[in-house]
Each structure stands twice: as structure tokens, then as C-alpha cells.
Amino acid sequence: MTNNKEKFYLTAAAEYEKRLKGYCKFQILELPEVRLPEDPSQGEVRAALAEEGKRILAAIPPRAYCIALCVEGKQFSSEALAKKLDGFATTHGTVCLIIGSSHGLDDSIKSICD
């Protein structure tokens, strides 16, 4: 499960897990954010994202179809996303949805995502 302390997110994650477990093996893997000072410089943010990127890369299963969920990505309706995920799961087996920290995702992660 997740280390997130917000009750809303814990409840939502549990609900999604309940809904999806009949269709797939569902797992949430939460990696720790790199701690930054109150007002970090751009260099500190870049270094933190790079470190988080290494952690994410190490956690991705071999041959997984990876999708970066980030602000600059394309938006889909729930139905359209479900249809796409079904297709990816059928052709690739393992699908990883990667969500970055509050500062986003490192380019190293975005570049390996499908």
C-alpha cells in the first residue's frame, strides 16, 4: 500500500485496488521523495529529480509498458484511459503508471516512457 498520510488518497487507492483486482494484479509502490529545503534552487530541484529518477528506474519491472503521468502529458477521459490501458495490458503484460513528486518527473523517466 502507500505511505501517503492523506485519508482521501488512501480511501481512493483502496477503492481503485478493489475495482481493479478482478482484472489485473494491482500494486502501488510509493518511493520516498528527496527532501528539499523550503525554497529550493532550480539546481537543487534538478538534482532531486535526478535522484528520484534513479529510484524509479530501479523499481520498474523488466519489459513493462511505462506511462508517465505528468502535467505536460495528454489528457484522457476515464473511459479512454481504461480502453488504452486494456490494450497495453493485453499486448505488454505489465503496465506501470509513473507519477512524479510535487516537482514532477526527471527527463530520464519521461524519455523511457512509452
Side-chain angles (χ1 to χ4, degrees):
M1 198 52 167
T2 178
N3 290 328
N4 194 318
K5 304 287 190 259
E6 296 290 334
K7 184 174 174 55
F8 167 81
Y9 293 117
L10 293 172
T11 303
E15 180 64 24
Y16 279 111
E17 183 173 16
K18 183 176 85 176
R19 290 181 187 192
L20 291 170
K21 70 180 176 183
Y23 301 98
C24 66
K25 179 182 172 194
F26 179 80
Q27 177 185 9
I28 294 176
L29 176 61
E30 185 174 343
L31 303 173
E33 259 186 274
V34 172
R35 298 274 182 202
L36 286 167
E38 185 70 30
D39 188 21
S41 69
Q42 287 296 339
E44 289 170 321
V45 170
R46 279 193 301 275
L49 289 177
E51 178 57 34
E52 290 169 359
K54 290 177 190 174
R55 294 176 188 176
I56 292 168
L57 286 171
I60 296 172
R63 296 177 298 288
Y65 189 88
C66 297
I67 302 169
L69 300 177
C70 47
V71 175
E72 64 272 20
K74 183 177 178 183
Q75 285 192 330
F76 293 95
S77 68
S78 294
E79 295 82 7
L81 179 60
K83 189 173 182 176
K84 285 191 170 292
L85 289 175
D86 184 46
F88 299 148
T90 301
T91 58
H92 294 87
T94 302
V95 177
C96 290
L97 302 178
I98 303 171
I99 303 170
S101 68
S102 57
H103 292 283
L105 286 168
D106 187 62
D107 287 339
S108 66
I109 299 302
K110 294 176 195 176
S111 69
I112 61 103
C113 285
D114 301 295

